[in-house]
Amino acid sequence: MRKTHALWFLAAALVTGSFPLLAEQAPDALPLATVANEPLLVSADMREGTELSGTWHYSIDPYRAGIAGFHGEAPDRGQQRWLDIDVRKTMAEDNRTMFEFDMAHAQTTSLPGSWLAATPEMRHYQGVVWYQRHFDAPAGRKGRYFLRFGAANYATTAYLNGKPLGRHEGGFTPFAFEVTQQLRDGDNQITFAVDSQATATTVPPTVTDWENYGGATRGIRLVHTPATYVDNAMVRLTTDGKLEAEAHLDGAAAAGQSLHLTIAGLKLDVPGKSDAKGNWKATIPAPRSLVRWSPDNPKLYDVTISAGEDVWRDRIGFRTIERKGADILLNGKPIFLRGISMHEEEIGPNPARIITPEAATALLGEIKNGLHGNYVRLSHYPHSEVMTRAADRLGLLVWSEVPVYWMVAWSNPGTLAAARNMLAENILRDRNRASVVIWSVANETPVNDARNAFLRTLIGDVRRLDPSRLVSAALLVKREEDARVPTMTMADPLAADLDILSINTYNGWYTPDRLSDLPASVWHVPADRPLVFSEFGADAKSGFHSPERLQKFSEEFQAEYYRKTLEMADRVPTLRGMSPWILKDFRSPRRQNPDFQMGWNRKGLISETGQRKMAFDVLANYYTMKSKETPK
Ligand code: GCB
């Protein structure tokens, strides 16, 4: 297992496992997969591999009997669902044995996808579910093999052929275990447990405003590489017109390896050599023929890094993003972010967080073509890599976020370590996506010393891992009690640490303000940096109309709320973009009005099945108008 890496400043802060790999060990004491001690496999989706999606056996474990015994000791053998045995045969042959599971004969489901949609009984299940399947590995294998999970929500413990591989914490980012040594010729058995249960110290904690989709929600693959391979790489355009490239090789021949960066579309072939640690870096002038990526022209180039037997591939767009005073500059020119927020939930009556390329295109297509947008806030956690690739392809700028949401355990070192790790996993996964322009570290968090220190640590991590993008966080504002018109002040000390100031505002929805009073709202915000309204919105039940009374939850109320809020937005001098809340109605257990919500947050501009509400056109018309203006 690799222990150090050029970028792995996180190592010191994270719980890197130094535990012996004993099968008797309680699974929650297994080594933790983090960017500090496990393979990254950047752009793994472009590598050769065996798809392990499809049919898996599963078994619920609500009392976590496979995680620990009832006195907290290692679990009983009768509960060890990862054992590589034939349960029926073993019990038939030896009447002293007893197992309270039999994965080979347990019910089946299809992965990826949350278990919540698997059967009606699983709809509200939170806790541990075990999954198992078999696959064949050819004899005479060469090179290395990695078991890679796109994401599993929230904590995962994995086993191969009865042996533990490790654990991972965090529901929205990829992780991988090397299995080169553990694979056997012919049949192999993979077992993993996913625990969806949030606690006061997880990220996010228990209280949110979205459905907690438990399970393996993104693809699982056995990835194959040569013995020495490119584990991490990045190529980007700098603001002074250079191409900057970085790679890290892993394996016996990583040191002093000759390599080549090629971008065929630019007729570029840059030779290089890795250093003693397997790292390589180069900066070269960008060719004149380079076409910059933008929402209007989302040009992507095929990029390869060849090193020894390995060829690392990606499709990368080149653009710059900067802040200058109160402006956001894309490729050196001011831009207004015409966006909307989105949860990771596919369109349909019974979503299971299965983001196929088609599902991603359907959602992003509504933004790009329906709303005439150029920007999406992927809230409130890292979305599938399928989504950010689709944004690259379609031409949408992206705000990418970690689920440091509302109230996390600010003073808990384990919570901070988990947040830092998911932030690093997210950044390292998506540093090559031209679409991603903003890393956000938090949403609506209360100002206090412990929180400020926590978020400053995350901001510092972003600046070190990716100094080329902008940093933000959705901040809370103070409202003056006795003012004649809604008057809000940003009084968050964190503002000074961020490139973009972001505010979520719900005046007129959660407050009794008259909609007609919204345009005159007063915003006291620092004048020296760009402001975005990262959220505003109102619920509407698709098909519920109240044209005269403008009752809340009616389409007319939502449309009028948008008109008035957009009028207000037009009067904020430093406003440089917005991502209203939200593209599509999404599942949220905290929303239980039986007439209108029934477990759905109804602030979507489209319903869960994709019906456009009246407010959709209000925003689409506004964005059409904005797209014709030259931004200030
Ligand atoms: C917010 C939160 C978002 C909620 C939204 C709402 O401020 O950031 O997660 O879903 O308000 O609908 O209240």
Side-chain angles (χ1 to χ4, degrees):
M1 197 187 299
R2 185 184 59 232
K3 285 285 178 214
T4 54
H5 201 297
L7 291 161
W8 313 147
F9 69 91
L10 286 170
L14 295 171
V15 192
T16 55
S18 52
F19 309 92
L21 285 178
L22 296 177
E24 294 72 36
Q25 218 165 20
D28 59 5
L30 292 176
L32 204 56
T34 66
V35 294
N37 70 348
E38 292 294 337
L40 279 173
L41 288 167
V42 165
S43 312
D45 53 339
M46 303 202 64
R47 282 195 178 271
E48 188 193 314
T50 308
E51 196 52 62
L52 295 174
S53 300
T55 305
W56 287 69
H57 290 279
Y58 75 96
S59 169
I60 63 165
D61 187 5
Y63 293 130
R64 295 182 173 72
I67 305 289
F70 51 73
H71 288 162
E73 72 284 15
D76 274 359
R77 193 169 157 78
Q79 290 285 356
Q80 294 180 5
R81 287 164 172 78
W82 63 86
L83 292 178
D84 188 20
I85 52 160
D86 181 330
V87 166
R88 282 186 186 165
K89 191 160 160 264
T90 312
M91 287 210 288
E93 284 173 0
D94 181 350
N95 73 354
R96 293 168 308 164
T97 59
M98 188 280 289
F99 297 94
E100 299 191 81
F101 67 88
D102 182 356
M103 294 301 290
H105 297 98
Q107 63 272 52
T108 60
T109 189
S110 177
L111 295 183
S114 171
W115 63 64
L116 295 194
T119 64
E121 298 76 58
M122 294 294 282
R123 174 64 189 86
H124 295 288
Y125 183 80
Q126 296 295 342
V128 172
V129 175
W130 292 83
Y131 292 93
Q132 189 173 92
R133 70 163 280 171
H134 288 249
F135 68 95
D136 282 337
R141 289 178 305 283
K142 290 207 177 79
R144 296 164 73 178
Y145 289 82
F146 301 89
L147 184 58
R148 182 186 189 265
F149 293 78
N153 187 24
Y154 173 78
T156 306
T157 313
Y159 300 81
L160 184 67
N161 299 326
K163 305 261 169 31
L165 297 173
R167 274 191 323 126
H168 178 262
E169 187 181 334
F172 306 96
T173 43
F175 53 98
F177 304 103
E178 177 156 13
V179 295
T180 312
Q181 301 306 326
Q182 292 91 331
L183 276 182
R184 60 192 180 201
D185 296 352
D187 178 64
N188 285 268
Q189 180 210 59
I190 300 183
T191 311
F192 67 93
V194 187
D195 191 344
S196 69
Q197 189 61 60
T199 69
T201 57
T202 54
V203 184
T206 41
V207 178
T208 70
D209 183 27
W210 68 86
E211 183 62 79
N212 190 31
Y213 284 103
T217 52
R218 300 185 195 151
I220 305 166
R221 284 179 84 224
L222 186 69
V223 176
H224 182 211
T225 71
T228 296
Y229 75 101
V230 179
D231 183 51
N232 186 14
M234 180 277 302
V235 189
R236 70 171 162 236
L237 181 66
T238 64
T239 46
D240 57 355
K242 305 223 167 71
L243 283 180
E244 205 172 68
E246 238 176 68
H248 174 74
L249 275 53
D250 191 88
Q257 176 68 249
S258 316
L259 51 81
H260 277 263
L261 163 74
T262 58
I263 307 179
L266 293 174
K267 299 195 174 49
L268 203 77
D269 184 338
V270 184
K273 198 173 212 177
S274 60
D275 67 13
K277 291 186 170 153
N279 295 318
W280 170 76
K281 240 183 169 165
T283 307
I284 53 156
R288 284 211 180 157
S289 59
L290 184 137
V291 175
R292 292 178 175 222
W293 183 99
S294 74
D296 294 335
N297 184 13
K299 170 79 184 158
L300 299 175
Y301 289 93
D302 284 315
V303 176
T304 64
I305 295 176
S306 321
E309 290 169 56
D310 194 30
V311 183
W312 177 88
R313 291 169 215 283
D314 207 337
R315 279 183 67 66
I316 302 181
F318 300 104
R319 52 102 196 100
T320 61
I321 191 82
E322 297 161 90
R323 170 185 82 88
K324 198 168 160 209
D327 284 331
I328 302 170
L329 307 183
L330 177 72
N331 295 324
K333 296 203 192 83
I335 186 164
F336 187 89
L337 303 174
R338 310 189 305 272
I340 193 147
S341 302
M342 209 174 88
H343 266 292
E344 188 179 14
E345 212 182 67
E346 68 275 25
I347 297 172
N350 192 21
R353 190 168 282 162
I354 304 173
I355 303 297
T356 59
E358 296 71 36
T361 308
L363 289 160
L364 298 184
E366 279 294 76
I367 303 173
K368 179 86 188 175
N369 308 315
L371 290 173
H372 310 291
N374 61 9
Y375 167 63
V376 59
R377 175 184 181 201
L378 298 179
S379 41
H380 280 301
Y381 38 76
H383 285 219
S384 163
E385 52 212 310
V386 171
M387 191 70 81
T388 48
R389 285 220 183 262
D392 259 17
R393 222 172 30 242
L394 287 171
L396 281 171
L397 298 161
V398 167
W399 157 306
S400 176
E401 183 166 344
V402 286
V404 177
Y405 184 87
W406 288 352
M407 273 300 290
V408 309
W410 306 116
S411 304
N412 184 308
T415 304
L416 178 62
R420 297 182 75 185
N421 190 56
M422 52 187 89
L423 180 67
E425 286 173 340
N426 189 33
I427 292 176
L428 295 174
R429 188 194 77 178
D430 273 357
R431 284 194 304 167
N432 287 309
R433 300 286 69 79
S435 51
V436 178
V437 287
I438 300 168
W439 301 117
S440 169
V441 297
N443 182 75
E444 292 184 350
T445 52
V447 176
N448 61 57
D449 290 348
R451 168 271 198 184
N452 299 348
F454 189 109
L455 295 188
R456 283 198 175 111
T457 303
L458 296 188
I459 294 166
D461 286 354
V462 179
R463 303 260 185 230
R464 257 177 307 226
L465 281 171
D466 183 6
S468 78
R469 289 179 171 83
L470 307 176
V471 189
S472 194
L475 303 177
L476 296 169
V477 287
K478 285 205 171 111
R479 183 173 167 148
E480 273 175 39
E481 291 302 332
D482 317 318
R484 203 176 40 80
V485 290
T487 303
M488 278 72 51
T489 304
M490 179 175 283
D492 191 324
L494 221 65
D497 299 71
L498 301 171
D499 298 311
I500 296 191
L501 305 176
S502 306
I503 293 175
N504 300 345
T505 169
Y506 286 93
N507 286 339
W509 177 254
Y510 290 121
T511 64
D513 295 303
R514 282 184 305 238
L515 294 182
S516 53
D517 285 343
L518 296 184
S521 301
V522 177
W523 292 92
H524 297 297
V525 289
D528 63 340
R529 47 198 84 193
L531 178 74
V532 301
F533 283 128
S534 34
E535 290 179 28
F536 60 82
D539 285 56
K541 173 93 164 64
S542 171
F544 174 61
H545 292 282
S546 168
E548 276 95 42
R549 295 194 53 245
L550 288 196
Q551 197 190 315
K552 279 191 173 169
F553 290 104
S554 68
E555 289 200 32
E556 286 80 3
F557 180 91
Q558 190 191 38
E560 184 63 7
Y561 169 93
Y562 265 75
R563 277 183 216 106
K564 295 300 177 204
T565 304
L566 292 171
E567 259 186 67
M568 171 195 84
D570 278 338
R571 298 186 192 179
V572 183
T574 55
L575 193 77
R576 293 296 178 269
M578 57 178 77
S579 50
W581 196 251
I582 185 169
L583 177 65
K584 182 184 80 67
D585 289 356
F586 62 98
R587 279 211 157 118
S588 172
R590 65 190 294 127
R591 310 292 174 178
Q592 296 297 344
N593 182 309
D595 292 331
F596 304 115
Q597 295 176 310
M598 292 158 296
W600 294 86
N601 183 314
R602 295 287 184 202
K603 293 190 188 72
L605 292 184
I606 61 176
S607 72
E608 74 275 24
T609 54
Q611 285 296 316
R612 290 183 183 176
K613 305 177 193 173
M614 292 169 73
F616 188 98
D617 286 341
V618 176
L619 189 64
N621 291 337
Y622 181 76
Y623 282 166
T624 304
M625 182 201 70
K626 282 301 243 192
S627 70
K628 292 179 185 145
E629 277 174 11
T630 316
K632 293 171 253 186

